[in-house]
Amino acid sequence: MLRGGEVGLRARHEEDIPILRAELYDDVVNSSRAESKPWRPVTPGSNDPRLVVDDKEQGSVQFSVVELDGGTLAGTATLWGIDNHHRSAHIGLGLLPSARGKGYGTDVVAVLCHYGFNVRGLQRLQIETLSDNTAMLRSAERNGFVREGVLRSAAWVMGEFLDQVLLGLLVQDWKQDSKV
């Protein structure tokens, strides 16, 4: 397990899947804001690639987020779009409603940076998020990410186009937190 100050990132367990499905992906509004594809219902027990980890997939690494104090499932975190040639990847995360507002997002981003830069040897990490996602913007910027641009009307979400903010962090600009 990769440990932050408050949360850890561990392998996805079978018992995580129904909770993540019910609390993150079956929530149409949340899922529509987090996913680049349109929301659709997923049959229980199906091999939904957002939830079921394919250990052969080299372009993405999925984690379950757990509270260090007690091991309660708190959400999901992903390093995706891993490009070994350019040594870059994207960061994504989703916290369960009960885990929001506790500072876990900042901790998850820090642990994903540690994994991307120290474990994977990447040069650049990138985040794309909706311009009104203040929690993610704050978590990214607290970890040293810099706003590199705005993709105007780039996301179709629940009947309207929204702007996306593009943030980037280079390994040489990263200030590793001693807790990770």
Side-chain angles (χ1 to χ4, degrees), residues 53-83:
V53 176
D54 178 359
D55 289 326
K56 296 175 187 151
E57 167 60 43
Q58 295 298 308
S60 136
V61 180
Q62 297 180 35
F63 298 96
S64 286
V65 178
V66 295
E67 295 174 344
L68 289 178
D69 184 20
T72 303
L73 182 66
T76 182
T78 308
L79 197 68
W80 62 276
I82 299 170
D83 183 328

Side-chain angles (χ1 to χ4, degrees), residues 17-39:
I17 293 172
I19 297 166
L20 294 172
R21 176 176 281 128
E23 294 194 36
L24 288 180
Y25 299 115
D26 284 348
D27 177 342
V28 178
V29 174
N30 178 71
S31 189
S32 296
R33 292 180 55 81
E35 301 286 327
S36 61
K37 297 177 183 169
W39 180 87

Side-chain angles (χ1 to χ4, degrees), residues 60-127:
S60 136
V61 180
Q62 297 180 35
F63 298 96
S64 286
V65 178
V66 295
E67 295 174 344
L68 289 178
D69 184 20
T72 303
L73 182 66
T76 182
T78 308
L79 197 68
W80 62 276
I82 299 170
D83 183 328
N84 291 318
H85 177 70
H86 296 292
R87 294 177 49 205
S88 63
H90 302 257
I91 284 178
L93 66 100
L95 295 175
L96 301 178
S98 62
R100 296 176 190 155
K102 298 180 178 182
Y104 292 170
T106 300
D107 205 22
V108 170
V109 171
V111 178
L112 285 171
C113 287
H114 168 79
Y115 178 73
F117 292 138
N118 286 346
V119 177
R120 298 296 297 244
L122 300 176
Q123 165 66 20
R124 174 186 168 79
L125 293 174
Q126 183 170 309
I127 295 172

